[in-house]
């Protein structure tokens, strides 16, 4: 009996709280809508920054093209195609401009909303990227041929063969020309490096050159861009809002026209009284002016509403999981949704040695082949020899791993299949990795582009995470995985890698201390092997704690709004609640000094209801029971407002819109609530 009475009291209490929550819901949601106005405001600032950047580029007049202008890009490409006899050093210098243009084009495709890009523009930008990539590689081949024509004049005095190393920040070239054709000279090692080849007798006695062109970027893999919202996805969300805008615009213009006609008619009736006419006309002008101002304000408000809906649609697509797994891959094919290339591309080629320069009566004479640089086919496609296996054994190769790349597991080696347009792992054997020396040794059956690959999800799921304020409009995001702890600072519209720990030891990265906008920052971290950014296909390769996309997005948006005054953290209870709810820790954090035993509260959020739970992280079982003397709220903002200081809420309300947007973008990109 007593138990039933307790249940009745609890139910009545619950109903009262629900009724109170429902009563103030509209008011709370309206206040949240005003606060979330920072997202379209940040987008407007981004658009203004892009326009300013274009104007500054125009004023510079430095000869480099504007990548967004097709005519300028076509002129740049055509002029460079016409330029001949460039040395390798000259091509390297030009490549800096080309790589910069490629990066700019990629960022245009990634950063600008598809609503602001026409289909023809997207095709143009992608086409320009491919043209620049192909032309750059062609130029490197031509420059290699020019260098090899001079091989005899650059021969080493000891070996009689030519060896050349050219290093740059984006490209490293290793070339060896077999001038002596000594059958006993089978081990090729480039001076002051461990990089080299063990070649068979047939190559040691042939007119060949070995080239290793290590590009620190990947222009071989198919152009994979970070997923961006398509026009169809965006339009489906914003179609009704855009219809509202059109309807209101028509209504406003009709009303203004009718008012004007009525006022004009009235003015004609009193034309005889000049003073009254003047006053009436003045009245008309004032009324028309106020009507125009009112209509402009309504238009502006509706445009911001459309922009808000567009941003929300794009954010939802960032956390959307694909329903279909990528197409079936054969055993030896590399699935680039599961693996990632790291450290650039190693272009390994056996080349036919071109005719050498000869000095005749003070002149340098050279025979130029129309075909250009020719590859030496190894092993030959057809051979009459019976002992083919012994005559053309695999070639042992030793490569150096790029110093700025982190491998958490031994790297795998993959070769490019030019016909199938994908990476493969067959034709490569005896792979051995020396982590201290950062050397990979393996046997290779056929030469061509090679790369090192790593599981893209090696750091997923995360073990824990924390987001805490550091200063005004500045936070620190810490993500802990099985192998590493990554700390990221965010301020205004910039992100920076603060520190990396590998197996509890600090690791120094070239990215540390470099402030970048969110999208370039995410790309830079991925290219360094620090991938904590799931894609829409990641859930096929990682066991995740999947949450409803809208709930996840709402949580990240509101966490970002509150991040200047509150710390948020991982909770083990998030695993035990269902997919329609998220659970995390939260506490007020106004100073940088961290308390040894922080007083965390456990919050549960379902997208339209926030509540503080009675349990703590140390509790034995999960329960949705409400903390004593607390209430339901429709938003996280109002939930925390109940127990927060005035100073904390003032910091929240005065947060910079670009800062809030950047924090939100980082939360959406890491998907902490689903991948922890």
């Amino acid at each position: 009996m007593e138990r039933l009475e307790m249940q009745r009291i609890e139910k009545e209490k619950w109903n009262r709280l629900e009724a109170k929550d429902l009563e103030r819901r509209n008011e709370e949601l309206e206040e949240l809508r005003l606060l979330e106005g920072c997202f379209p405001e940040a987008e407007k600032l981004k658009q203004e920054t892009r326009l300013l950047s274009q104007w500054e580029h125009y004023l510079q007049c430095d000869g480099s093209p504007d990548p967004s202008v097709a005519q300028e890009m076509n002129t740049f490409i055509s002029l460079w195609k016409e330029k001949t006899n460039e040395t390798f050093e000259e091509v390297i210098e030009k490549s800096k401009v080309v790589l910069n243009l490629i990066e700019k084009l990629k960022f245009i495709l990634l950063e600008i909303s598809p609503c602001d890009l026409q289909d023809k523009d997207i095709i143009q930008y992608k086409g320009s990227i491919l043209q620049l990539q192909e032309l750059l590689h062609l130029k490197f081949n031509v420059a290699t041929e020019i260098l090899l024509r001079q091989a005899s004049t650059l021969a080493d005095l000891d070996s009689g063969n030519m060896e050349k190393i050219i290093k740059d920040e984006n490209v490293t070239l290793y070339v060896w020309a077999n001038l002596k054709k000594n059958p006993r000279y089978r081990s090729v090692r480039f001076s002051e490096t461990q990089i080299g080849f063990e070649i068979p007798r047939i190559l040691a006695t042939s007119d060949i050159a070995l080239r290793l062109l290590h590009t620190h970027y990947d222009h071989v893999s198919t152009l994979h861009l970070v997923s961006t919202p398509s026009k169809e996805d965006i339009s489906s969300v914003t179609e009704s809002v855009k219809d509202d805008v059109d309807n209101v615009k028509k209504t406003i213009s009709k009303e203004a026209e009718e008012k004007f006609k009525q006022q004009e008619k009235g003015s004609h009736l009193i034309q005889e009284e000049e003073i009254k006419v003047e006053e009436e006309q003045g009245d008309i002008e004032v009324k028309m002016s106020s009507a125009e101002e009112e209509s402009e304000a309504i238009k502006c408000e509706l445009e911001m509403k459309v922009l808000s809906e567009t941003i929300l649609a794009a954010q939802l697509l960032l956390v959307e999981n694909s329903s279909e797994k990528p197409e079936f891959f054969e055993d030896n094919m590399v699935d680039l949704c599961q693996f990632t290339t790291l450290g650039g591309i190693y272009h390994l080629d056996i080349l036919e040695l071109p005719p050498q320069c000869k000095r005749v009566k003070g002149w340098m004479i050279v025979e130029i082949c129309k075909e250009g640089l020719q590859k030496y086919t190894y092993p030959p496609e057809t051979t009459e020899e019976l002992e083919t296996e012994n005559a053309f054994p695999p070639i042992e190769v030793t490569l150096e791993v790029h110093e700025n790349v982190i491998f958490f597991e031994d790297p795998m080696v993959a070769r490019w299949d030019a016909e199938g347009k994908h990476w493969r792992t067959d034709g490569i054997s005896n792979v051995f990795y020396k982590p201290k020396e950062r050397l990979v040794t393996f046997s290779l059956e056929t030469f061509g582009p090679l790369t090192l690959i790593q599981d893209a999800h090696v750091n997923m799921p995360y073990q824990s995470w924390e987001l805490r304020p550091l200063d005004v409009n500045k936070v620190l995001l810490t993500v802990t995985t099985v192998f590493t702890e990554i700390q990221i600072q965010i301020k205004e519209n910039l992100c920076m890698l603060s520190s990396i720990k590998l197996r509890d030891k600090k690791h120094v990265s070239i990215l540390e201390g470099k402030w970048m906008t969110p999208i370039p920052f995410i790309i830079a971290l991925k290219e360094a092997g620090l991938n904590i950014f799931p894609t829409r296909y990641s859930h096929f390769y990682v066991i995740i704690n999947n949450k409803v996309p809208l709930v996840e997005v709402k949580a990240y948006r509101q966490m970002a709004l509150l991040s200047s005054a509150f710390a948020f953290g991982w909770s083990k209870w998030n695993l035990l609640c269902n997919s329609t709810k998220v659970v995390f820790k939260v506490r007020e954090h106004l100073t940088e000094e961290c308390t040894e035993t922080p007083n965390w509260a456990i919050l549960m959020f379902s997208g339209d209801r926030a509540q503080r739970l009675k349990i703590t992280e140390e509790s034995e079982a999960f329960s949705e029971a409400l903390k004593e003397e607390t209430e339901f709220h429709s938003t996280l903002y109002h939930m925390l407002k109940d127990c927060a200081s005035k100073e904390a809420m003032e910091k929240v309300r005065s947060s910079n819109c670009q800062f809030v947007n950047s924090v939100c973008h980082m939360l959406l990109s890491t998907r902490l609530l689903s991948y922890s």
Side-chain angles (χ1 to χ4, degrees):
M1 196 72 178
E2 191 178 336
R3 185 173 59 83
L4 290 171
E5 181 62 20
M6 286 288 290
Q7 285 178 352
R8 186 187 64 77
I9 293 168
E10 282 297 316
K11 191 175 181 182
E12 282 181 3
K13 184 184 174 183
W14 189 271
N15 290 339
R16 281 198 302 273
L17 289 172
E18 282 189 330
K20 193 174 182 181
D21 177 39
L22 193 63
E23 189 181 326
R24 63 189 172 203
R25 179 180 293 275
N26 290 339
E27 187 184 329
E28 288 185 350
L29 290 176
E30 179 59 24
E31 191 175 353
L32 178 68
R33 187 186 68 80
L34 293 172
L35 287 169
E36 288 185 336
C38 64
F39 295 114
E41 194 61 43
E43 184 60 35
K44 285 234 175 231
L45 285 172
K46 268 199 233 175
Q47 291 170 3
E48 287 169 14
T49 304
R50 281 195 291 269
L51 290 171
L52 182 63
S53 177
Q54 285 180 325
W55 177 244
E56 286 173 350
H57 179 273
Y58 174 75
L59 291 176
Q60 279 175 353
C61 297
D62 59 358
S64 64
D66 182 341
S68 63
V69 180
Q71 190 177 353
E72 289 187 29
M73 285 301 294
N74 292 336
T75 303
F76 175 83
I77 291 167
S78 299
L79 289 174
W80 197 31
K81 276 181 182 176
E82 290 169 8
K83 199 167 182 180
T84 56
N85 297 324
E86 291 173 285
T87 64
F88 210 92
E89 288 82 358
E90 287 173 334
V91 175
I92 281 178
E93 199 56 38
K94 189 77 170 183
S95 74
K96 292 173 184 176
V97 177
V98 173
L99 292 171
N100 185 41
L101 290 171
I102 290 170
E103 289 306 304
K104 283 182 177 178
L105 285 165
K106 284 184 179 179
F107 293 151
I108 288 171
L109 289 168
L110 290 166
E111 289 187 326
I112 299 180
S113 167
C115 286
D116 301 325
L117 277 177
Q118 294 183 12
D119 290 336
K120 65 180 181 68
D121 292 330
I122 295 170
I123 293 165
Q124 174 207 316
Y125 298 153
K126 287 186 176 181
S128 294
I129 290 170
L130 291 171
Q131 276 185 288
L132 288 169
Q133 289 176 345
E134 288 168 4
L135 182 56
L136 181 58
H137 194 66
L138 175 66
K139 287 285 183 178
F140 278 133
N141 283 343
V142 173
T144 302
E145 184 187 3
I146 291 168
L147 180 63
L148 286 174
R149 285 183 205 148
Q150 306 163 31
S152 56
T153 62
L154 300 170
D156 180 65
L157 294 174
D158 295 330
S159 67
N161 295 318
M162 173 263 203
E163 178 193 301
K164 184 79 172 176
I165 301 175
I166 301 174
K167 284 193 174 185
D168 183 70
E169 60 182 309
N170 298 313
V171 178
T172 306
L173 174 73
Y174 302 89
V175 177
W176 178 81
N178 189 17
L179 300 171
K180 283 294 181 182
K181 296 186 280 295
N182 185 345
R184 287 176 295 180
Y185 196 91
R186 310 261 294 269
S187 183
V188 179
R189 283 286 176 275
F190 290 95
S191 56
E192 299 179 10
T193 74
Q194 296 289 322
I195 296 168
F197 310 90
E198 295 294 330
I199 59 175
R201 181 185 177 86
I202 190 166
L203 293 181
T205 56
S206 300
D207 281 320
I208 58 131
L210 296 174
R211 179 184 73 167
L212 166 56
L213 176 62
H214 181 198
T215 60
H216 303 166
Y217 48 81
D218 179 2
H219 286 177
V220 175
S221 305
T222 309
L223 188 63
H224 280 279
L225 297 173
V226 178
S227 57
T228 53
S230 66
K231 288 190 174 181
E232 291 78 12
D233 294 322
I234 297 290
S235 61
S236 64
V237 178
T238 58
E239 192 178 349
S240 60
V241 184
K242 285 181 179 177
D243 287 344
D244 288 346
V245 174
D246 293 336
N247 291 336
V248 171
K249 280 181 182 177
K250 286 174 185 174
T251 307
I252 289 167
S253 59
K254 280 181 182 177
E255 284 177 2
E257 195 179 334
E258 283 172 13
K259 277 184 183 179
F260 180 75
K261 282 179 179 177
Q262 285 171 5
Q263 287 159 352
E264 196 178 43
K265 189 178 178 181
S267 68
H268 281 306
L269 294 172
I270 53 170
Q271 274 178 356
E272 293 174 5
E273 300 177 38
E274 291 179 4
I275 298 168
K276 285 187 178 181
V277 169
E278 285 172 13
E279 286 175 358
E280 192 67 30
Q281 283 176 340
D283 247 2
I284 292 166
E285 285 173 12
V286 170
K287 286 178 181 177
M288 282 298 294
S289 175
S290 64
E292 282 173 11
E293 283 176 14
E294 190 181 337
S295 66
E296 278 301 315
I298 294 168
K299 281 179 192 176
C300 184
E301 187 182 337
L302 284 165
E303 279 169 11
M304 290 298 276
K305 188 178 179 183
V306 171
L307 188 56
S308 294
E309 292 292 335
T310 305
I311 291 165
L312 179 60
Q315 290 173 339
L316 278 166
L317 287 164
L318 278 175
V319 299
E320 183 185 54
N321 292 330
S322 174
S323 57
E324 293 181 12
K325 196 172 181 178
E327 60 186 30
F328 177 76
F329 288 91
E330 296 173 18
D331 289 344
N332 295 315
M333 283 173 60
V334 176
D335 178 0
L336 286 178
C337 291
Q338 183 178 6
F339 296 94
T340 183
T341 64
L342 286 180
I345 306 298
Y346 300 86
H347 297 267
L348 269 68
D349 296 297
I350 306 173
L351 305 169
E352 292 181 4
L353 202 58
Q356 296 300 292
C357 294
K358 293 178 183 178
R359 188 176 290 278
V360 180
K361 294 179 181 180
W363 291 83
M364 289 296 288
I365 298 174
V366 62
E367 181 188 342
I368 297 175
C369 302
K370 286 183 180 179
E371 297 83 8
L373 195 66
Q374 294 295 301
K375 290 186 180 180
Y376 180 94
T377 307
Y378 180 90
E381 292 175 2
T382 56
T383 176
E384 294 177 1
E385 293 184 32
L386 296 172
E387 46 178 358
T388 308
E389 227 176 282
N390 297 327
F392 306 105
I395 298 168
E396 187 180 292
V397 180
T398 301
L399 300 177
E400 200 172 77
V401 177
H402 195 289
E403 61 183 349
N404 298 330
V405 171
I406 299 172
F407 280 94
F408 296 98
E409 297 173 337
D410 288 359
M412 293 179 280
V413 184
R415 63 177 183 84
W416 182 249
D417 179 356
E419 287 184 14
K421 302 290 182 189
H422 51 247
W423 293 102
R424 301 186 66 91
T425 54
D426 54 346
I428 300 163
S429 57
N430 304 322
V431 180
F432 181 68
Y433 178 54
K434 294 180 182 177
K436 286 185 179 178
E437 295 86 351
R438 297 179 70 81
L439 294 172
V440 180
T441 303
F442 52 92
S443 297
L444 187 64
E445 291 177 11
T446 56
F447 272 40
L450 297 173
T451 192
L452 304 178
I453 59 172
Q454 177 174 259
D455 185 350
H457 309 96
V458 70
N459 283 310
M460 299 177 208
Y462 323 126
Q463 291 188 320
S464 66
W465 58 271
E466 184 180 294
L467 177 73
R468 64 180 174 87
L470 290 178
D471 205 342
V472 178
N473 294 319
K474 189 175 182 181
V475 296
L476 181 73
L477 174 63
T478 304
V479 179
T480 306
T481 74
V482 172
F483 295 102
T484 184
E485 179 190 274
I486 300 170
Q487 291 194 326
I488 298 165
Q489 283 189 32
I490 306 166
K491 69 171 184 181
E492 295 177 359
N493 64 329
L494 300 169
C495 305
M496 179 193 76
L497 181 63
S498 181
S499 75
I500 311 167
K501 283 182 185 175
L502 298 178
R503 298 175 180 88
D504 298 324
K505 291 180 183 178
K506 187 168 170 57
H507 175 84
V508 179
S509 168
I510 194 172
L511 295 175
E512 284 182 44
K514 290 186 178 179
W515 289 98
M516 291 178 264
T517 52
I519 289 174
F521 176 75
I522 289 169
I523 292 170
L525 277 192
K526 284 183 173 183
E527 288 176 349
L530 299 169
N531 185 18
I532 51 169
F533 308 101
T535 67
R536 61 201 304 264
Y537 299 109
S538 293
H539 64 287
F540 290 116
Y541 310 104
V542 184
I543 297 170
I544 68 167
N545 180 25
N546 192 38
K547 300 295 179 182
V548 172
L550 188 58
V551 173
E552 205 174 346
V553 168
K554 283 184 176 182
Y556 295 144
R557 283 165 68 102
Q558 294 180 43
M559 284 163 69
L561 282 168
L562 295 157
S563 62
S564 56
F566 294 89
F568 297 88
W570 171 84
S571 171
K572 66 181 181 182
W573 303 122
N574 190 45
L575 288 162
L576 298 177
C577 65
N578 61 40
S579 63
T580 62
K581 296 168 184 173
V582 293
V583 177
F584 46 84
K585 298 185 296 187
V586 64
R587 65 187 173 92
E588 189 175 305
H589 188 115
L590 295 177
T591 57
E592 200 169 335
E593 294 81 26
C594 296
T595 55
E596 288 183 13
T597 54
N599 185 25
W600 292 103
I602 306 294
L603 287 193
M604 185 169 74
F605 184 57
S606 63
D608 54 9
R609 174 179 287 179
Q611 63 190 78
R612 184 172 175 181
L613 301 182
K614 190 175 181 179
I615 55 171
T616 66
E617 281 297 292
E618 290 73 37
S619 300
E620 291 182 3
F622 177 67
S623 167
E624 293 189 9
L626 205 63
K627 174 85 173 172
E628 297 87 349
E629 298 178 4
T630 63
E631 299 177 348
F632 301 137
H633 282 281
S634 300
T635 73
L636 292 175
Y637 172 82
H638 293 93
M639 184 73 244
L640 293 176
K641 190 178 177 182
D642 276 358
C643 57
S645 65
K646 287 183 179 178
E647 188 185 351
M649 298 318 293
E650 185 55 41
K651 281 185 83 171
V652 168
R653 283 188 288 269
S654 60
S655 294
N656 178 285
C657 65
Q658 289 182 305
F659 160 74
V660 173
N661 192 55
S662 296
V663 173
C664 185
H665 188 89
M666 201 54 60
L667 293 174
L668 287 162
S669 300
T670 50
R671 296 193 62 190
L672 301 170
L673 295 170
S674 281
Y675 279 80
S676 293

